[in-house]
Each structure stands twice: as structure tokens, then as C-alpha cells.
Amino acid sequence: MLAARDGTRILSAVAAGVLACLAAAVVPAIAADLGNEDCLSCHGDSVSKDEKHPANIAGGAFSASAHSDLQCTTCHADATSLPHGKLKEVDLETCTDCHDDEVKAYREGDHARARAAGVTAAPRCDGCHGDLHKVVDRSDDKSPEHWIALAQVCARCHADPNLARERNLSVVQPVEAYLESAHARAIREGKRGAVCSDCHDSHRTLPPDDPKSTIWRATVPQTCGKCHKDVVDTFQQSVHGQALARGMRDAPTCTDCHGEHRILSHTDSGSPVFAGNVSRDTCGRCHGDTRLVERHGLSDTNFSAFQDSFHGLAIRAGEVSAANCSSCHGVHDVLPASDPRSSVHPDNIAKTCARCHPGAGQRFAVGPVHVSATISKDGAQHWIRLIYLWIIAVVIGGMVLHTAADFVRKAAMQPATHAEARGPARLRMPLRLRLQHGLVMLSFPLLAYSGFALTTPESWWAAPLLHWETAHATRGITHRIAAIVLLVAVIWHVGNYFSKASRQREWMRGIWWKLSDARHFFAMLGWYVGLRREHPVSGRFSYIEKAEYWAFLWGIVLMAVTGLPLWFKDITLRYLPKWLTDVATSLHFYEAVLATLAILVWHMYWVVFDPDVYPMDMSWWHGRAPAARNAERIDDAEAAPPASPVAEAAVAAREDSGNRE
């Protein structure tokens, strides 16, 4: 019995050994022949999943993927037997076998550096390409790497402002900016527009301060040139492109003018290269920077002079059709004025101006173009400004002192004494003169308002006119209509004065200067300081009115002479050099300042705030001066009182006739 048991144990051991040998021979064969079908039998989408088989791989998706010709064991090389244990995670080393160049580029980029620094959220291959069992070629519109969907892939990380703060990224929410760009709009329209990888590289994404980066400022033109070759070729020949090639760090590149992610069409009002923005927001960033222009020896007045010029003021007011920097200097082909190919070379500038002003002559190109009266230390404009500032200070200052002295002296008078000085009202302004004055009252305020709105378009009080400026040249139209009305009034007035048939000539004889005006002036000064008790008596018109009248006529002549060349600019460009228009502009502006201040300080005092006439001298309406004013004057033609009732009636009849006229 014992022997039988021992024999059974021996046979069992021999059988186990034979089976072990058979298994050792068969299993390697099974592993060697392990196919995708074997893997999908456990991991396919038709198999119930549990903790032992967590992966769910759609067999149809895998067979349609770019990896369908690979065996599962190509990537999962540690799956050597069935069943297998936990497999090693697929990593870069796995992808290197087939995508060595891409992996090498990835390792040089920011994403790999971030992962090496412990940022587990930084993307790897599957972070951008998606499930590697379903990955398809980027040319397939189902691929997350297709140009239609790539922005959405990048947005997973780069649309997160928290990530930008945590990682100190230099650009916050670039995807949002990109989605507003002309490139993204093209994609939404079904066209091929630039996507993130076109500019940043697909795998080797580097920061802009890395010389190897595709967005390093010196490399940006080559990056943009992938799509815009002709434009970049032109740019590289320009003064900006040549400076950039020499390594000048301040030289502008494509993104300096067009933006980085939010690149808009030049027809979009939000674009920095839109006609209304290019001078201020693009060219002005460099040419208006004092430190930069000093560093590179550029003109420090060109930009400010342009801003104050006719074109610059129009653009500042929102007029997009006015010439901007690129209109004259070019867009991508900007060349120095000394280059014969430049559009602003002396031989070409007339042709350049003729683009907007047909018939512009070569004489217009004589002299400097960008001239600033406020910055330049020489030239006619500088001296005009300097002289006028002194004139304004002396004249307006003298007016302020004179009116202040008059107000103080009259305010100190006893009411009874002041009332005794009043006399009968007389006709001062015939009907025709009142009509002419009425036209001036209407036109001058409009001229001043619209004129200063033209020169200071950013002022809050200019906003009502600028509201319609984009559709209509409201300021210019208003200014010209008011100018016509004022000129009609003045021409009518002068014509009446020189007409023998007009009784206005008789009324106006007293406006000429006389020696008695000087005596009256000094007598008034004596009255102001208390050296005289009685108010001095003048003729029909005092030196106060004569000074204002002749200053007004002189100002009208000067404003017309300087304003007409600015109005009819095409004729001016054809026959006159530019420096004459610059002189006309300066004279027109400073004379307007002087005239407006004189009206506010001098005229408004004598017709409104003078205690003798307050709250207003109404002679502009009914023609008769206030009684207090009549008591201070002796009519030149009627210095002697009427000798008889007949003569007195004749004077009254003459006054009524003048009033009707």
C-alpha cells in the first residue's frame, strides 16, 4: 500500500513537470503571435469593463486612425503575456520610435520645460493630439490639430487667466484676442487662415525672447512670410526692414504695427493700421517717443507737426479720408526721403500729393513739410507765433486793465450823480448798419466755435459738431458758411460806405481817427485815476469804438487773405509752395485767438457789463444808444444845438430817415 502511494506521487510530479515544459514552450509563441484582435478581445468597446480591463478602445475608431497599421505591442511593448499586469504609461520615449524629429523639437520647447519643472498640466503628445488610439492626420477635419479646430485645443490652457497668473505668462488670454482676428474670421468663413501652430511652431514652442523662436522679433517677418511673401519681401527692402536686419532692437517688425494675436484688417476701425489709427497708434508709438527719436537721431518735430497739421487735425476728429503717415510715406515700402524710390523724395512728392489733390504742382514741394510752430525754433511760423503771443499779451492785457478801471470808477459813482449824467437817446445805428451788424453777430460766434473745434477736436465742447463728422464735414461746412455770411456783411458795409447815394457814409464819417481821440484817451485815464471829476466827452464815436472797428476790419481782411488759400487747397497746391500755406495757417489761427479774446474782453464789456448799459446796450436792435452814452458824446455833425424849432424838426427828420435806411 505504501509503495502504491509513492508511485502515484512520482507519476504526478512527472506529469506536472511535463506540463510546465509544454507551457514554457507555448506561452512565448502566444506572446509572439499576440495581435490587435487579442488585445481588443479584452479592451474593445464591446467588452464589459471592470477594474481589470479599464481601457475602452473603439475598434472602428482605431482601425480608422493614423496608428491603425501598428500593433498594440508597438507602443505597449511590455504586454508580453496574456493576461498581463499593469502596463507602463506611453511616454515620449514611446513616440520617439516613429516621431523622433517631433519629439526632439518638443523637448526644446516651453511645454516640455514646464513638465520638467513639475507642471503636470503642461501638454504632452496626447494633450494636443487627443486619444492616441483615435489620432488622425492633421489634414483630416476630424483631427483636433486641423486648422479648423486647433485654436480650441490651445484654448484648453491658454484661455485660462489663472494659468497665466500662475505661470507668469507674458500674454494673458491670447486665444480670445486671436478669435477676433482676421485670421480667425477667415477660418469661420471656411477659408484657410493662420492658426497657432503656423506662427508658434507645432512642437518647438518657444518664448519671443529666444532667438530660435519663430516669434523672435527678427524672425517674425520670415514667419509672416509663409503666407505674405510679397509683403515681407517689400518690407525687408524698406528702412524699417533694413534696420531690423542690422539688429536694431527698436526697429518695428510686423507685429509692432499689426498686433500679435488680434490682427485685424486695415479696414477694421479697431485695427492699429486703420486709416484713423495708423498715425497716432502705430507710427506715433515710435516717432512720437522722445527717447526713441533722440536715440536714433530722428526728427523730434515731425509727428507733433503732423498732429497739428490740416491732415492730422482732420484725423484726430475722426475723418478717415484725410491723409495719414502711410498715405505719403507708404505702408510696407517706407524709404528715407533721400532715396529716389521714396514717395516723399523731392522728385516724387508732387506725384504723391496728386493722389488726393489732382494738379498739385512741384512748387508745393519747396521747403520743409513737417513744420511745428510750437516746437521749431526758426522759420516764419516760429516768429509769427512769438510775435502774436506778445501782441495778445499786450493788447488783451491792456484791455483788461482799461475795462477794469472803467468798471471800478463807474461802480464808485453815486447813483444820483450817475442819473443826472443821463441825456436823451439818439439814433446811433441806422437800419442798414443794424442789419450788417446782425449778420456779424450771427456769423462770428459760429466762426470762432467751428474754427477752434477744427484745431482742438478732442475738446468736450467740440463734441456736438464732431458727432456728425464721420458722415459730413460738419465743422468745415459750418466754418465756411459762417465765413461767407461774415464776408457778405463786410462787403455790404464797405460798399455802402463808398456809395455816394448812401446816407450811411454820412453816419460813418465820424469813425476816422482824429487827434481829439488821443486827447480823449488821456482825459479818460485822468478820470479813471480821479484827476478829473467830470466824465470826458467824445465825438459821435469814441476811441473805444474806433479801436474795435478798425481792428475788426483789419482782422477780417487778414482772416480772408489767409483763409481762402486754406479753403481752396487744390489751387494753392498747384501754384504756391507749402511754406506759404504754413504761414497762412499760423496767421489765421493766432489772429482768431486775438479776435476772439478781444470780443470777449473788450466788446462784451462795453455792450453788456458796462454799468452804463447793463444788462445790455440794445442799440443793435432799435438803433438808439443808451442815454448815459449820449451824455458822454457830442455828435460831430450836431455839436451845436438847433437854433429854432424848425432846425430841431429837421434834425429829427434826418434821424428818422437814417433809421429807415
Side-chain angles (χ1 to χ4, degrees):
M1 181 66 72
L2 183 58
R5 291 178 180 173
D6 291 339
T8 301
R9 291 193 185 98
I10 292 171
L11 289 174
S12 299
V14 170
V18 171
L19 290 174
C21 291
L22 289 173
V26 173
V27 170
I30 293 175
D33 295 336
L34 192 63
N36 291 350
E37 296 79 7
D38 299 314
C39 297
L40 292 175
S41 64
C42 292
H43 299 286
D45 53 4
S46 61
V47 181
S48 297
K49 299 300 174 288
D50 52 34
E51 293 181 0
K52 295 182 179 180
H53 310 104
N56 184 359
I57 302 168
F62 179 77
S63 63
S65 73
H67 293 154
S68 61
D69 58 340
L70 300 178
Q71 294 296 312
C72 298
T73 53
T74 303
C75 298
H76 302 284
D78 52 341
T80 58
S81 63
L82 291 178
H84 58 74
K86 185 176 181 180
L87 300 180
K88 178 183 176 183
E89 184 180 8
V90 173
D91 56 15
L92 289 178
E93 295 299 334
T94 305
C95 298
T96 302
D97 294 338
C98 299
H99 305 287
D100 181 61
D101 292 340
E102 289 80 0
V103 171
K104 181 179 179 180
Y106 170 82
R107 283 175 168 158
E108 295 177 1
D110 270 354
H111 294 151
R113 294 174 184 174
R115 286 194 71 88
V119 183
T120 57
R124 297 182 305 178
C125 305
D126 56 346
C128 298
H129 293 279
D131 189 341
L132 299 181
H133 298 104
K134 303 176 184 179
V135 67
V136 295
D137 189 88
R138 65 182 302 178
S139 61
D140 191 322
D141 59 8
K142 297 182 179 61
S143 170
E145 295 299 296
H146 189 269
W147 50 271
I148 292 178
L150 185 62
Q152 299 174 9
V153 175
C154 298
R156 295 172 189 168
C157 298
H158 291 281
D160 184 356
N162 294 325
L163 177 66
R165 285 193 295 269
E166 291 172 4
R167 300 303 304 160
N168 293 321
L169 300 181
S170 58
V171 180
V172 179
Q173 296 183 307
V175 177
E176 285 79 355
Y178 167 79
L179 292 177
E180 297 180 11
S181 70
H183 296 146
R185 291 179 187 178
I187 291 175
R188 289 195 292 270
E189 295 170 1
K191 304 174 185 177
R192 177 63 168 93
V195 295
C196 310
S197 59
D198 291 322
C199 301
H200 293 276
D201 197 294
S202 299
H203 299 93
R204 190 176 63 175
T205 305
L206 297 171
D209 57 353
D210 191 323
K212 294 182 292 183
S213 172
T214 53
I215 56 172
W216 186 49
R217 61 181 300 102
T219 313
V220 165
Q222 286 75 19
T223 300
C224 297
K226 297 175 185 177
C227 300
H228 307 284
K229 184 178 184 304
D230 292 342
V231 171
V232 171
D233 288 344
T234 301
F235 168 78
Q236 289 176 331
Q237 298 301 315
S238 72
V239 64
H240 295 146
Q242 292 294 315
L244 188 67
R246 294 195 302 270
M248 186 180 294
R249 63 180 182 178
D250 294 322
T253 189
C254 310
T255 52
D256 289 317
C257 299
H258 294 275
E260 297 172 342
H261 297 95
R262 191 174 176 267
I263 298 174
L264 302 174
S265 168
H266 70 279
T267 59
D268 192 313
S269 60
S271 171
V273 293
F274 178 65
N277 303 331
V278 66
S279 297
R280 179 195 64 216
D281 297 339
T282 302
C283 301
R285 286 176 55 201
C286 296
H287 292 276
D289 188 328
T290 303
R291 293 170 298 180
L292 192 147
V293 298
E294 180 181 352
R295 182 187 303 161
H296 299 290
L298 304 175
S299 170
D300 60 349
T301 62
N302 282 356
F303 179 70
S304 59
F306 171 79
Q307 287 288 83
D308 293 337
S309 70
F310 174 83
H311 295 143
L313 289 170
I315 291 174
R316 285 163 57 188
E319 179 56 62
V320 297
S321 63
N324 55 56
C325 303
S326 60
S327 302
C328 301
H329 293 274
V331 181
H332 300 102
D333 56 341
V334 178
L335 295 169
S338 58
D339 192 319
R341 299 171 298 168
S342 172
S343 55
V344 293
H345 185 272
D347 294 341
N348 303 327
I349 196 168
K351 181 180 178 180
T352 299
C353 296
R355 297 172 188 168
C356 300
H357 305 286
Q362 189 65 36
R363 285 184 56 80
F364 182 72
V366 176
V369 176
H370 296 295
V371 179
S372 174
T374 59
I375 298 178
S376 176
K377 299 302 181 183
D378 54 11
Q381 284 184 277
H382 167 71
W383 289 108
I384 290 171
R385 175 176 180 270
L386 188 62
I387 292 171
Y388 257 100
L389 289 178
W390 276 102
I391 292 176
I392 291 171
V394 172
V395 172
I396 303 303
M399 289 179 175
V400 170
L401 292 175
H402 189 288
T403 54
D406 187 85
F407 181 82
V408 171
R409 185 69 173 87
K410 289 177 179 177
M413 293 175 62
Q414 294 296 326
T417 306
H418 202 183
E420 292 172 358
R422 299 184 181 276
R426 291 183 192 169
L427 180 67
R428 296 275 294 160
M429 295 178 67
L431 177 61
R432 189 174 300 180
L433 191 60
R434 297 202 301 273
L435 291 175
Q436 295 162 8
H437 181 265
L439 293 178
V440 174
M441 288 177 66
L442 290 174
S443 59
F444 187 87
L446 280 177
L447 269 172
Y449 175 53
S450 58
F452 289 120
L454 283 165
T455 56
T456 55
E458 294 89 357
S459 302
W460 61 268
W461 47 264
L465 284 180
L466 266 69
H467 180 72
W468 299 281
E469 190 75 16
T470 54
H472 308 285
T474 314
R475 295 172 304 159
I477 293 174
T478 303
H479 198 67
R480 290 171 175 83
I481 291 176
I484 291 173
V485 172
L486 183 61
L487 287 176
V488 167
V490 172
I491 293 172
W492 182 15
H493 174 75
V494 174
N496 286 166
Y497 184 77
F498 287 102
S499 174
K500 294 181 179 180
S502 174
R503 290 186 55 82
Q504 184 173 320
R505 183 176 185 180
E506 177 184 347
W507 283 89
M508 297 300 295
R509 283 176 180 171
I511 205 69
W512 292 100
W513 286 104
K514 298 177 181 178
L515 184 60
S516 59
D517 293 316
R519 291 195 295 267
H520 183 225
F521 170 73
F522 287 106
M524 286 292 290
L525 291 182
W527 184 67
Y528 289 148
V529 298
L531 298 179
R532 294 176 58 99
R533 283 190 64 186
E534 300 296 331
H535 190 290
V537 178
S538 69
R540 180 190 296 271
F541 298 105
S542 70
Y543 71 88
I544 295 171
E545 295 158 312
K546 292 180 181 181
E548 184 176 7
Y549 176 82
W550 289 109
F552 173 78
L553 284 185
W554 160 252
I556 291 299
V557 172
L558 182 61
M559 295 297 281
V561 170
T562 57
L564 290 174
L566 303 178
W567 185 349
F568 301 100
K569 52 185 176 296
D570 288 342
I571 297 176
T572 303
L573 291 173
R574 191 174 303 167
Y575 299 108
L576 299 176
K578 182 181 178 298
W579 68 267
L580 282 179
T581 64
D582 292 335
V583 167
T585 301
S586 291
L587 287 172
H588 200 78
F589 173 75
Y590 288 108
E591 180 63 26
V593 173
L594 177 61
T596 302
L597 290 176
I599 291 295
L600 292 175
V601 174
W602 193 253
H603 188 71
M604 292 301 292
Y605 173 78
W606 295 113
V607 300
V608 175
F609 299 106
D610 181 356
D612 281 350
V613 301
Y614 186 81
M616 181 176 287
D617 181 346
M618 296 300 295
S619 59
W620 63 272
W621 178 256
H622 49 60
R624 297 187 179 276
R629 287 276 173 87
N630 285 327
E632 298 168 0
R633 293 174 173 83
I634 298 176
D635 194 317
D636 296 336
E638 302 165 9
S644 65
V646 176
E648 192 173 86
V651 172
R654 187 161 66 249
E655 287 185 350
D656 290 339
S657 175
N659 191 29
R660 289 194 300 274
E661 186 180 352

